[in-house]
């Protein structure tokens, strides 16, 4: 055997040894990567603020000291849905939520909570004992029974519109009632033609509260939206008159999904069709909506959550998938130049069953319900996710919650 052959054989043996070493090392490398990933996930999960009890369809309200009162809702235990009578308080400073020892008088879900001028909280209606109310006493952290409503209420919207009165409406009943804070009494005022479309969308403009109202158009087998209003000075209701018009984008005024906001004391509608979104403002003199923005293409937009900032409007958009989950996209409308831009990235998990609470500098996405893709498992979230803003929130347009 020549020296050259011996050298070649030595090289081959070294290759085999190195290959063997790499083969042995690979599982260890995968093992390390796996555990580093798990460790990072656990660190992130540990640092994420969490509820004491996972819940959805709950209510939440910001207290005067900045803490957030979270009441009722639903959870799932051993495959069974349970309506909760518990409440907890989340402290943004410590990023911890504490269970309140005292229970509510009734289990509630899809109810409403309103901060009273005294600092206490009025809790209204909801599935369960939904014709009742109760008051959370901030001083001794207890719940006492309040006045009864005139109508059964679920999926409730309650708005404190002056220091003495709270407007109460919901998505199942067209009847409006007012809660008198001093007399601790609910009284019927008037009725819309149809119930509200949702409980997170309204606009307060010149002494009137504007609400989208859902109406089924049987001839077209589709839902059309009209905008009704409640005059807070005269305690009467009315419907916003809209003449039929064609937009610059070829869509008539019954846009498929929309959201309304008060922007610089103007009624602005964000209109989403099947393929795009644009903004338009209502001309009260001409009684029509007029285009004021560009058109931004986006497919399958289902629901819009507008958050009014100082110089722009951030819109969280839901795009339905085959499961109960939805993808979330960030749509930004710049007020100064009337431009809409779309961030092509999914936002953190939330859906209509989460609760969104807006303070001066951030929005909290609290709890929620979703279904795991493919596996189909129902998950109730206990996460409290925070969306921070660089601008100060305009709370006049969206007081307390939406």
């Amino acid at each position: 055997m020549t020296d050259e052959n011996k050298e070649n054989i030595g090289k081959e043996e070294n290759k085999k040894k190195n290959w063997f070493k790499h083969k042995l090392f690979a599982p260890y490398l995968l093992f390390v990567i796996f555990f580093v990933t798990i460790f990072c996930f656990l660190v992130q999960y540990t640092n994420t603020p969490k509820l004491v009890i996972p819940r959805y369809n709950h209510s939440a309200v910001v207290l005067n000291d900045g803490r957030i009162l979270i009441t009722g809702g639903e959870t799932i235990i051993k495959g069974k849905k349970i309506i909760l009578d518990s409440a907890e308080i989340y402290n943004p400073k410590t990023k911890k939520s504490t269970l309140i020892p005292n229970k509510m008088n009734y289990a509630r879900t899809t109810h409403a909570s309103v901060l009273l001028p005294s600092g206490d909280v009025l809790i209204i209606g909801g599935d369960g004992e939904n014709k009742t109310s109760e008051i959370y006493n901030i001083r001794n952290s207890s719940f006492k029974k309040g006045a009864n409503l005139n109508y059964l209420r679920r999926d409730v919207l309650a708005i404190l519109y002056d220091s003495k009165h709270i407007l109460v409406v919901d998505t199942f009943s067209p009847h409006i009632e007012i809660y008198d804070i001093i007399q601790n009494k609910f009284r019927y005022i008037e009725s819309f033609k149809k119930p509200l479309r949702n409980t997170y969308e309204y606009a307060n403009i010149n002494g009137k509260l504007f609400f989208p109202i859902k109406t089924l158009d049987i001839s077209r087998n589709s839902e059309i939206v009209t905008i009704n209003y409640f005059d807070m000075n005269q305690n009467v209701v009315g419907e916003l008159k809209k003449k039929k018009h064609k937009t610059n984008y070829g869509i008539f005024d019954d846009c498929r999904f929309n959201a309304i906001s008060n922007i610089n004391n103007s009624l602005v509608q964000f209109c989403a069709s099947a393929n795009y979104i644009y903004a338009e403002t209502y001309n009260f003199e001409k009684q029509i909506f007029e285009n004021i923005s560009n058109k931004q293409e986006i497919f399958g937009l289902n629901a819009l959550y507008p958050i009014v900032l100082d110089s722009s409007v951030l819109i969280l958009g839901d795009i339905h998938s085959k499961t109960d989950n939805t993808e979330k996209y960030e749509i930004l409308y710049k007020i100064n130049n009337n431009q809409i831009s779309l961030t092509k990235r999914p936002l953190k998990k939330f859906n209509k069953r989460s609760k969104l609470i807006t303070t001066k500098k951030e929005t909290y996405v609290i709890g929620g319900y979703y279904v795991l893709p493919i596996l189909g498992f129902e998950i109730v979230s206990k996460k409290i996710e925070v969306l921070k803003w660089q601008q100060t929130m305009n709370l006049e347009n969206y007081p307390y919650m939406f």
Side-chain angles (χ1 to χ4, degrees), residues 199-302:
T199 59
Y200 54 81
E201 181 188 354
Y202 63 91
N204 185 348
I205 302 174
N206 296 332
K208 293 180 180 179
L209 291 168
F210 293 88
F211 305 93
I213 304 294
K214 57 186 177 184
T215 304
L216 183 63
D217 187 341
I218 300 177
S219 62
R220 297 171 56 184
N221 192 28
S222 63
E223 183 182 285
I224 61 174
V225 176
T226 59
I227 297 177
N228 284 207
Y229 64 84
F230 172 73
D231 190 315
M232 294 179 284
N233 298 317
Q234 301 182 20
N235 283 351
V236 296
V237 301
E239 182 176 326
L240 196 67
K241 294 181 179 180
K242 293 191 299 179
K243 295 179 180 179
K244 287 287 183 181
H245 74 289
K246 192 172 184 179
T247 73
N248 296 339
Y249 308 125
I251 301 295
F252 288 96
D253 66 345
D254 53 345
C255 60
R256 185 180 177 189
F257 297 105
N258 71 341
I260 61 173
S261 292
N262 176 358
I263 300 178
N264 296 331
N265 214 33
S266 297
L267 181 62
V268 175
Q269 172 177 252
F270 298 97
C271 186
S273 73
N275 299 312
Y276 47 80
I277 181 173
Y278 59 91
E280 51 187 13
T281 187
Y282 185 74
N283 186 318
F284 285 89
E285 183 178 348
K286 296 180 180 179
Q287 297 182 351
I288 61 172
F289 276 100
E290 298 174 329
N291 292 122
I292 57 173
S293 81
N294 61 315
K295 178 179 67 172
Q296 181 65 243
E297 291 189 0
I298 181 170
F299 179 75
L301 204 57
N302 176 266

Side-chain angles (χ1 to χ4, degrees), residues 152-169:
L152 297 175
R153 299 283 185 184
R154 56 176 178 159
D155 209 3
V156 189
L157 172 61
I159 303 170
L160 176 69
Y161 65 89
D162 62 32
S163 61
K164 299 179 181 178
H165 300 98
I166 295 173
L167 178 79
V168 181
V169 287

